[in-house]
Amino acid sequence: MKCGFVTIIGRPNVGKSTLLNQILGQKIVITTDKAQTTRKRIKGILTEKEGQVIFIDTPGVHRPMNKLGDFLMDEAKLAVPDADLILFLVDGTEPAGKGDKWIVENLLKDTKIPIILVMNKVDKIKNQQKIEENLISYKLLFDENIPVIRVSAKTGRNKDTLLTNIYKKLPEGEMLYPEDVVTEESMRSVTEEVIREKILLNTQDEIPHSVAITVNEYKEAEDIDRILATIYCETKSQKGILIGKNGALLKKVGTEARIELEKIVDKKVFLGLEVKVEKDWRKKDKVLKTFGYVSEN
């Protein structure tokens, strides 16, 4: 059987996490239309009769603006060398841009690892000529011909074709994970990400990027999981926005997160949230480590 690691890399908002969730048939990675939704490398494990694929979802590659940005870049870089295959995911609705060029020149050009160019969102364009023009602009970034697969991460179009080509590129090997394991993420980590997703979906401007979540307590019982978590932001004004008038926004975020967590654990969840200010945490190495933003090889 086939078994190997597949790194998904690309600019922010090209659909990396959506594609992974679509392939796995369930949601293990949060998805929004905001940049920096994915902050850490996350493993998604697909086990089929053909073999086992360990996908590595990575943060969108962009120019770092602070210490957190440096961490996001490191997470993407570290996912490349150990891969058996790289999926370079691009937005097929537009031609290659500076970000795509930077990724190829700095992360992909000198690698010996096989690469598949995956054009996402092609279902949004009816003009076939435009799609071909965009495709050529991406292929020109590489010195040699590169295999291309067009997909829709949202609808699952050509998912099977993509998987067939992935298996062709992977080495023979025994499974590395039990067949019922879909991710390595702990429920503490999943909880933090779910809460952050609900904040991303319910806020705008700088708020989504200024937020970090820590789970302070997670107690499992047969009938209910009890969770206490803290939402950190950078200023008092951000804290006020996150709490909302009469606590309305915090309650909305908490309710939406609780409902999703109950679906994941298949039982009742009590979720207690509080908001604290940690001034300029995205610029502080020590605080970043406290929040779990430290790259490990």
Side-chain angles (χ1 to χ4, degrees), residues 226-281:
R226 298 183 180 276
I227 308 167
L228 299 178
T230 301
I231 300 168
Y232 288 93
C233 55
E234 294 187 311
T235 66
K236 287 184 179 180
S237 62
Q238 290 172 353
K239 179 179 179 179
I241 292 170
L242 284 165
I243 294 173
K245 187 175 182 180
N246 298 321
L249 183 59
L250 188 62
K251 183 178 179 180
K252 187 172 189 288
V253 167
T255 299
E256 291 179 2
R258 176 183 56 76
I259 290 171
E260 180 148 340
L261 290 168
E262 286 179 339
K263 291 177 183 176
I264 294 171
V265 299
D266 197 24
K267 59 182 169 182
K268 291 289 185 182
V269 168
F270 168 82
L271 177 61
L273 296 177
E274 63 175 340
V275 183
K276 292 184 177 180
V277 175
E278 181 63 56
K279 187 172 170 52
D280 294 331
W281 67 264

Side-chain angles (χ1 to χ4, degrees), residues 183-191:
T183 183
E184 282 187 338
E185 299 301 300
S186 68
M187 272 312 299
R188 278 178 171 264
S189 178
V190 169
T191 298

Side-chain angles (χ1 to χ4, degrees), residues 4-32:
F5 291 85
V6 177
T7 291
I8 308 173
I9 199 163
R11 291 186 294 107
N13 292 343
V14 294
K16 297 182 296 297
S17 300
T18 302
L19 177 64
L20 179 53
N21 289 338
Q22 181 68 244
I23 288 172
L24 297 176
Q26 59 182 286
K27 180 177 175 179
I28 69 157
V29 191
I30 65 173
T31 57
T32 76

Side-chain angles (χ1 to χ4, degrees), residues 124-170:
K124 292 185 175 182
I125 300 183
K126 303 303 180 186
N127 187 333
Q128 193 63 33
Q129 183 178 344
K130 179 64 176 173
I131 294 176
E132 293 301 323
E133 290 173 357
N134 291 347
L135 172 57
I136 290 171
S137 73
Y138 287 108
K139 294 181 78 169
L140 287 173
L141 297 177
F142 295 88
D143 294 330
E144 54 190 57
N145 203 23
I146 184 170
V148 180
I149 297 174
R150 308 174 193 196
V151 303
S152 169
K154 192 171 185 179
T155 67
R157 175 182 170 184
N158 282 348
K159 178 180 76 171
D160 292 340
T161 302
L162 177 59
L163 282 171
T164 298
N165 282 271
I166 287 172
Y167 283 119
K168 287 179 181 177
K169 300 282 187 181
L170 293 185

